[in-house]
């Protein structure tokens, strides 16, 4: 299991303005917050993966990786649509509007955004296996 993911930022206040509304909508808690980073997850549940955003520990400028992305899974396309709209309205960049992506799998629904630092996020709904077997 993945314990946590961390993305870097050059401006924590701006990053929080982007991430706080997203994780609030997803029902995630702020588990840790100080002057250098914040983590989101489920307070008191160390088995639930956490997502950190903060300044790099080495003091160098934050940068994004080419091909690096964190994906969050949901049960319904409407959740993906809502998160995409929240991301865009809070300074996120469009990397792929919500929609079905049959090139990945029949019934695969996704939206792709970037935060203000260029970190890429995906909101996805996997096809229902019961539907695939029909």
């Amino acid at each position: 299991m993945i314990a946590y993911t961390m993305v870097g930022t050059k401006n924590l206040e701006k990053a929080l303005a982007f991430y706080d509304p997203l994780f609030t909508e997803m029902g995630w808690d702020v588990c840790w917050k100080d002057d250098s980073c914040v983590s989101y997850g489920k307070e008191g549940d160390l088995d639930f993966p956490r997502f950190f955003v903060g300044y790099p520990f080495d003091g160098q400028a934050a940068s994004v990786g080419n091909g690096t992305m964190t994906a969050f899974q949901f049960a319904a396309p409407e959740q993906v649509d809502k998160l995409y709209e929240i991301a865009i309205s809070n300074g996120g960049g469009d990397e792929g509007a919500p929609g079905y992506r049959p090139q990945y799998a029949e019934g695969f629904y996704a939206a792709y955004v970037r935060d203000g630092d260029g970190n890429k996020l995906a909101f996805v709904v996997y096809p229902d296996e019961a539907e695939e077997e029909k």
Side-chain angles (χ1 to χ4, degrees), residues 13-123:
E13 185 176 321
K14 183 177 174 184
L16 295 179
F18 176 82
Y19 284 106
D20 280 349
L22 285 175
F23 285 110
T24 295
E25 178 68 24
M26 291 165 54
W28 290 32
D29 307 318
V30 172
C31 298
W32 171 265
K33 185 175 181 180
D34 65 14
D35 292 340
S36 65
C37 72
V38 64
S39 78
Y40 302 91
K42 296 291 182 185
E43 186 76 39
D45 184 354
L46 294 178
D47 291 330
F48 191 90
R50 299 218 175 158
F51 184 92
F52 283 77
V53 60
Y55 300 118
F57 183 76
D58 66 4
Q60 301 297 312
S63 62
V64 297
N66 186 23
T68 303
M69 176 174 57
T70 301
F72 298 93
Q73 183 179 351
F74 300 93
E78 297 79 21
Q79 293 169 291
V80 169
D81 297 346
K82 177 77 172 175
L83 291 164
Y84 174 84
E85 291 302 321
I86 290 170
I88 297 302
S89 68
N90 286 289
D94 173 42
E95 284 289 314
Y100 287 100
R101 307 290 198 286
Q103 67 270 32
Y104 301 131
E106 190 64 34
F108 182 85
Y109 191 88
Y112 303 90
V113 299
R114 289 196 186 265
D115 69 11
D117 290 292
N119 297 300
K120 191 172 181 181
L121 305 176
F123 308 119

